[in-house]
Amino acid sequence: DAGVIQSPRHEVTEMGQEVTLRCKPISGHNSLFWYRQTMMRGLELLIYFNNNVPIDDSGMPEDRFSAKMPNASFSTLKIQPSEPRDSAVYFCASSRQGARNQPQHFGDGTRLSIL
Amino acid sequence: AQRVTQPEKLLSVFKGAPVELKCNYSYSGSPELFWYVQYSRQRLQLLLRHISRESIKGFTADLNKGETSFHLKKPFAQEEDSAMYYCALSVLMEYGNKLVFGAGTILRVKS
């Protein structure tokens, strides 16, 4: 398996622009997680989906952030409008639900820079 | 409330020295714990999970329910062990489960 695939790997854009991050989970995994990693705040869970349904979005910082999972093999995280403080590395992870000892598998991340 | 505490932001040791990365948790249920490692500018990778009771890359971790700890240990550090280490707790939710991560500890192994 190719693992969790994220795109783009790097994104540099000007503030105010819309940013869309993409994730393809591992085939057969039915849970998907979006995280944000910064030096100041470490690793933060933004939102997670179970069977394509958003379960907990309490970590989404503001209404400017939205996430969708239209099918089992694709998810997006959108920021509109983007701000410099959104600059971070965004990770997607997937896991097979059913037992709590199932680990999450992470993608390579998207390094986002908002100028 | 569920919480994972990694008290050290940075741990610096010499090559060949023993390593112990501390992790304490708070959880009312039965704990399921993991250690993840992140090498420079790479993805987080699962290092080990307590249920497996295995040793990966010379690292071990024992769950101590009395002390609510899951410290990561290695008897002889190597330079390639330099990385960020995260301890994580699996928390059961109404639908599925999620991981609660500690703040992470940077391990720096000096030659």
Side-chain angles (χ1 to χ4, degrees), chain A residues 15-115:
Chain A
M15 66 177 289
Q17 298 296 307
E18 178 179 292
V19 173
T20 300
L21 311 181
R22 297 173 176 79
C23 176
K24 178 177 168 31
I26 292 173
S27 177
H29 283 191
N30 55 355
S31 285
L32 184 140
F33 306 81
W34 281 101
Y35 293 89
R36 179 171 67 176
Q37 185 181 44
T38 61
M39 289 287 289
M40 291 296 295
R41 302 169 75 98
L43 197 62
E44 304 172 273
L45 176 65
L46 300 178
I47 184 171
Y48 80 94
F49 295 84
N50 204 32
N51 294 320
N52 311 340
V53 176
I55 300 301
D56 181 359
D57 65 355
S58 59
M60 296 285 261
E62 302 169 38
D63 290 345
R64 298 184 296 107
F65 286 69
S66 63
K68 293 183 180 178
M69 192 164 186
N71 57 62
S73 57
F74 183 65
S75 176
T76 59
L77 178 67
K78 192 170 290 190
I79 309 173
Q80 165 65 11
S82 57
E83 295 183 6
R85 59 196 167 114
D86 301 331
S87 298
V89 181
Y90 290 81
F91 286 103
C92 176
S94 70
S95 73
R96 193 190 312 272
Q97 289 287 330
R100 284 177 56 221
N101 58 16
Q102 291 298 312
Q104 291 181 17
H105 299 262
F106 284 75
D108 287 329
T110 295
R111 191 169 295 273
L112 178 64
S113 296
I114 308 295
L115 306 176

Side-chain angles (χ1 to χ4, degrees), chain B residues 78-89:
Chain B
Q78 298 171 289
E79 288 182 74
E80 54 265 35
D81 295 330
S82 295
M84 171 75 95
Y85 291 81
Y86 288 99
C87 182
L89 167 72

Side-chain angles (χ1 to χ4, degrees), chain B residues 51-68:
Chain B
I51 193 107
S52 302
R53 302 188 66 80
E54 57 198 344
S55 173
I56 304 292
K57 300 185 180 183
F59 285 97
T60 59
D62 290 317
L63 177 62
N64 186 323
K65 291 186 179 180
E67 296 183 358
T68 60

